[in-house]
Amino acid sequence: FSLFRFDLSAGDRFTDSYNSEVITNAGGQQLSDSLSIEAETTFLGIESVTVPAGTFDACHYREVSEATPTGFPFSTETTSDSWYAVGNGILLKQEDSEGNSTELLEASINGADI
């Protein structure tokens, strides 16, 4: 999995490389897919973001990743934007270039709303 850095200034970036293996059991057969992933993440700055859970100051990151399936001569590129709450690092919102998105509906830490 990929790790995020929270010690960056706006415009700073870092790269990450990792392998991912997905094993699926379907109909008594086991299928395995492996990916090699190269990612470059840029910290775009702190901004206000509103989600169903409320309005927060958030660290905005953009990740451009290239995934190459093992044994194949092609790769796919995906761009995703993520907003993490300042002070606790909770993922508030994420959108990617494939049209997928998530938003935080509600959350608490030790029983207190964030």
Side-chain angles (χ1 to χ4, degrees):
F1 66 93
S2 181
L3 298 176
F4 272 83
R5 289 184 45 194
F6 294 98
D7 62 343
L8 305 173
S9 297
D12 286 352
R13 60 188 70 207
F14 65 95
T15 58
D16 197 7
S17 300
Y18 55 97
N19 294 312
S20 175
E21 184 173 4
V22 178
I23 299 172
T24 305
N25 290 311
Q29 289 189 311
Q30 189 175 49
L31 307 170
S32 178
D33 292 313
S34 296
L35 296 171
S36 173
I37 300 169
E38 300 284 332
E40 181 177 81
T41 303
T42 304
F43 174 56
L44 300 176
I46 295 175
E47 57 191 57
S48 179
V49 64
T50 299
V51 295
T55 299
F56 303 89
D57 287 335
C59 298
H60 183 185
Y61 292 88
R62 177 164 294 141
E63 179 180 276
V64 178
S65 60
E66 185 174 356
T68 305
T70 302
F72 290 90
F74 63 86
S75 62
T76 58
E77 185 174 284
T78 303
T79 300
S80 65
D81 283 75
S82 302
W83 291 263
Y84 292 88
V86 170
N88 59 33
I90 291 175
L91 178 63
L92 300 170
K93 182 177 178 177
Q94 191 169 50
E95 300 172 341
D96 69 28
S97 58
E98 296 175 352
N100 301 306
S101 64
T102 60
E103 290 186 336
L104 182 66
L105 299 178
E106 61 181 312
S108 63
I109 297 175
N110 295 328
D113 289 341
I114 62 164

